[in-house]
Amino acid sequence: MFSSDMTVDVDSAESKELQREFQLRYLWYWSLSSWSFCRILLCCCSSLQYQFSSHLVNEIAPKHLTGLFGSCHQLFVTIGALITVLIALIIPYEVSQKYARDTVLWRISFGVPLILVVLQAALLLLVYRHESPSFYATKEDKEGTVAALNKIYADESDAEQVYNEITGGTDGSSETQPSGSLYSRYKQAFWIGLILPALQQLTGINAIMFYSHTIFASQMKEKLVRIINIIVMATNVIFTVISTFTSDKLGRRVLLIGGSIGCGIGLFLAGLGASKTREGVHETTPFVVLFDFAIFFFIASFGLSHGPICWLYMSEILPLQWMGYGTASSWVFTNIVGLSVPALLRNIKAFTYEIFFICMCFSTVYVFAFIKETKGLTKREIMKLFESKGDETAKGLEP
């Protein structure tokens, strides 16, 4: 009887253990699936929000402040990244991975953005409920267009001037135009809208942002890594602020050319410094200093140019229905860079930076050859600038 009871107890214990293991596996797979789905949904929603908000900001900003407001859009993105890094400081770096998973502190990183999202939705639903003047103009709603312009411009003469510019002819954004005709007229703008976001990602910015902890951890102690990451984010914010106040003075084209050259110099020096630095040896050498300086120089150049100017320029030159192509191009190259960089750093190490340096050489040439200056121009004037005048189809579609 004793032996039989022991057998039943053992079988029962094994059954409970198997049941518990099954539950844990099910919970793990469910959590992983939910996390993956939410990440994909978040990426899609954030890209759409970025795309439409940049276009809306461009349409509702006063003509002489489009550069300022467009750059502010990217500025707050960089501020958000900085805040995220600062929030991460509340989790002590000494804690084990298990403690980091169990603690509630990391949830603050999700809670703060959630509060801001709810606030943004409330403002759009309750306060900023009107559309842009261009939207009302495409719907041939004169009263709506005038009302929207009067909310933007204090001087009625300025509002009237912009109204005449908007309604005086097509601005290339009308949804009623056939897509084929639209492409024939503005194909140069279309291809710039695909290539410019790709060049933004081929600066290597996300290689630095995604893997900055890994990059700096190979050269310095953990205590310094978090501080350096904060300085990197703060540098991005500072130079985005500078770009905000210079884009309407220096122009988009000048900043993009200068930024491409600056990013290229930073990447070349980073590759040189990394090639002479021994991984895992936490000592300060001239080449470590060179590498750190190069990274900060690169971040500063990016913050002045490709960071804020890319999406500002896109919202200026592309009709609304084409903005999705630019966003898709950006995400494709973001994933290509993000997925390939770990393998590149592992196999070719310092030469990874030189690959991005070559991309910046191409970027400089491309911007110099094809990017046109748009500062101080209305949407209609910009679309006229990019119109394919030599195209016979386009000539037949002149407004």
Side-chain angles (χ1 to χ4, degrees):
M1 178 65 72
F2 180 77
S3 176
S4 176
D5 290 342
M6 286 289 291
T7 303
V8 172
D9 290 341
V10 170
D11 291 342
S12 178
E14 289 180 352
S15 177
K16 289 181 179 179
E17 185 65 28
L18 288 173
Q19 185 178 9
R20 176 177 172 77
E21 183 178 352
F22 173 78
Q23 291 174 343
L24 289 174
R25 285 180 178 272
Y26 173 79
L27 183 62
W28 184 83
Y29 284 122
W30 184 86
S31 300
L32 181 61
S33 300
S34 300
W35 175 259
S36 301
F37 172 77
C38 291
R39 284 292 300 273
I40 294 172
L41 181 63
L42 179 62
C43 287
C44 293
C45 291
S46 61
S47 64
L48 288 173
Q49 193 271 349
Y50 197 101
Q51 165 190 334
F52 290 120
S53 61
S54 62
H55 202 88
L56 177 62
V57 167
N58 178 260
E59 289 188 346
I60 65 175
K63 177 181 176 181
H64 62 289
L65 294 176
T66 53
L68 176 64
F69 279 85
S71 298
C72 280
H73 187 251
Q74 176 66 20
L75 171 62
F76 283 102
V77 172
T78 61
I79 291 175
L82 175 61
I83 292 174
T84 301
V85 175
L86 291 173
I87 291 174
L89 284 178
I90 66 176
I91 302 178
Y93 68 85
E94 297 92 349
V95 299
S96 64
Q97 288 296 316
K98 183 178 184 303
Y99 179 79
R101 289 195 300 268
D102 293 341
T103 185
V104 298
L105 295 176
W106 63 269
R107 290 175 172 82
I108 297 176
S109 297
F110 291 86
V112 172
L114 180 61
I115 294 172
L116 296 177
V117 167
V118 172
L119 177 62
Q120 182 185 52
L123 289 173
L124 288 172
L125 291 172
L126 302 176
V127 182
Y128 305 107
R129 294 183 294 177
H130 58 278
E131 294 286 350
S132 70
S134 296
F135 173 83
Y136 290 118
T138 58
K139 301 296 182 182
E140 298 183 353
D141 183 352
K142 181 178 179 179
E143 292 183 1
T145 305
V146 172
L149 286 171
N150 287 333
K151 290 180 180 180
I152 297 172
Y153 294 95
D155 191 335
E156 290 187 4
S157 61
D158 291 337
E160 183 178 356
Q161 179 185 354
V162 175
Y163 175 81
N164 292 330
E165 291 173 350
I166 292 175
T167 59
T170 181
D171 62 359
S173 61
S174 174
E175 299 287 347
T176 61
Q177 289 183 348
S179 58
S181 302
L182 194 61
Y183 175 77
S184 298
R185 299 183 72 176
Y186 306 112
K187 55 188 174 184
Q188 184 181 8
F190 175 81
W191 285 106
I192 291 175
L194 289 182
I195 295 173
L196 195 60
L199 292 176
Q200 183 196 50
Q201 296 306 315
L202 291 175
T203 60
I205 183 62
N206 282 325
I208 304 297
M209 294 300 186
F210 290 171
Y211 305 105
S212 60
H213 188 279
T214 303
I215 292 170
F216 289 114
S218 65
Q219 301 176 353
M220 59 190 68
K221 296 180 179 179
E222 181 67 28
K223 286 184 177 180
L224 293 175
V225 172
R226 290 192 173 194
I227 297 174
I228 293 296
N229 282 335
I230 292 174
I231 297 174
V232 166
M233 297 295 182
T235 301
N236 197 14
V237 171
I238 291 170
F239 281 90
T240 303
V241 171
I242 296 174
S243 175
T244 298
F245 293 100
T246 57
S247 60
D248 278 331
K249 295 179 180 179
L250 298 179
R252 288 76 157 133
R253 186 171 182 270
V254 171
L255 288 176
L256 284 172
I257 293 174
S260 296
I261 295 173
C263 287
I265 293 172
L267 289 164
F268 178 80
L269 294 177
L272 178 62
S275 66
K276 304 296 182 179
T277 302
R278 290 185 296 171
E279 189 173 333
V281 179
H282 300 154
E283 60 182 21
T284 302
T285 67
F287 287 104
V288 170
V289 174
L290 174 64
F291 176 83
D292 293 343
F293 168 79
I295 293 297
F296 286 114
F297 187 82
F298 165 79
I299 294 295
S301 299
F302 180 85
L304 276 173
S305 57
H306 283 278
I309 301 300
C310 173
W311 293 103
L312 168 62
Y313 195 79
M314 292 258 295
S315 65
E316 290 180 332
I317 70 169
L318 292 183
L320 181 59
Q321 62 265 45
W322 283 357
M323 286 292 290
Y325 295 111
T327 304
S329 174
S330 177
W331 279 106
V332 166
F333 280 89
T334 296
N335 286 308
I336 290 175
V337 171
L339 293 173
S340 62
V341 163
L344 292 173
L345 289 173
R346 192 166 51 248
N347 293 296
I348 63 176
K349 301 185 185 304
F351 191 70
T352 302
Y353 302 101
E354 308 308 334
I355 292 178
F356 291 118
F357 163 71
I358 294 172
C359 292
M360 286 302 94
C361 291
F362 172 77
S363 175
T364 303
V365 174
Y366 180 83
V367 172
F368 184 83
F370 296 105
I371 298 299
K372 300 177 181 180
E373 187 53 68
T374 59
K375 69 173 181 177
L377 301 180
T378 64
K379 184 76 172 181
R380 182 168 177 260
E381 290 170 338
I382 292 171
M383 298 309 291
K384 197 73 175 177
L385 184 66
F386 281 94
E387 195 169 18
S388 300
K389 296 179 175 60
D391 196 316
E392 293 299 323
T393 306
K395 288 181 180 179
L397 290 169
E398 286 286 347

